[in-house]
Amino acid sequence: AHNNRGHILLALGRAREALPMFERAAELDLTTTPPLISLYFVHLDDFRDASKATEAARRLVERAPQNVSFRVMLAWSLAAEGVLDEALELMRAAVDEDPHHAYALPNLAHLLYASGADDEAVIHYRTVYDLIVDGKLQGDRWAAARNLAVALVSAGASDEARQLAESEALIILEHMDGSGSDAERHLE
C-alpha cells in the first residue's frame, strides 16, 4: 500500500511526499525491491541527488546481489557522484557477467570515454554498434554510430570515424522513400 501510494503521489507531481512512502514500504518488507527501485529513480531523476540514489542502489544490491541490473544502477549513481573507479569496476564486472546487458555495455563505454580511456571505449562502443546492427541489442543505430565515431576521433582514428559516418549516412539515404519526414507526414 505504501509503495502504491508513493506512485500515486509521483503521478500527481508530489515526488517529495512520495519518498517517505517508498522508504516505509522498503522498511515493512525487507525482501522487496520495487520501493528501493523507486527511491533510486526519484532521487536520481527528480532531485538529482546521486548520493541518495547510491544509498538506494546499495540496498538493492544487498537484497539481491545476483541481480546484474541493480549493480549497474549502483555503478551509474556512483558515476553521477564522480566515483569513477568504483563505477568502472562495477560496470566492468556487470559486462563480464552479462556481455550483452542493454545498459551495462553502453554505460561502460560511456564511463570509459568520460575517464579518458578512449581506446577501450572504442572497443565497447564498437560492440554496442555491432550488436545493434545485428539486431542482438535494442538501441538507436545512429546514436551508437555517433558514439563510436566520437570515440574513434578521440582515439586518433579520424579516418575510420569518417568512413563510419559516411556509411551510416548512406544507409539513412537508402531508407528514405522520398515521402518526406515523419513530421511532414503527420502534419498532412
Side-chain angles (χ1 to χ4, degrees), residues 37 40-41 44-45 67-77 79 87-88 90-96 98-112 124-125 128 131-132 136-140 147:
I37 294 168
Y40 173 88
F41 285 109
L44 199 59
D45 296 340
N67 189 312
V68 176
S69 293
F70 294 163
R71 294 193 311 271
V72 169
M73 290 166 66
L74 175 58
W76 195 249
S77 61
L88 276 167
L90 285 166
M91 206 66 82
R92 278 190 174 105
V95 170
D96 287 345
D98 185 353
H100 297 163
H101 192 280
Y103 295 104
L105 186 58
N107 286 341
L108 175 58
H110 297 326
L111 290 175
L112 289 165
H124 294 288
Y125 279 131
V128 170
L131 289 170
I132 289 172
K136 296 177 182 173
L137 183 69
Q138 294 259 337
D140 182 340
N147 291 338

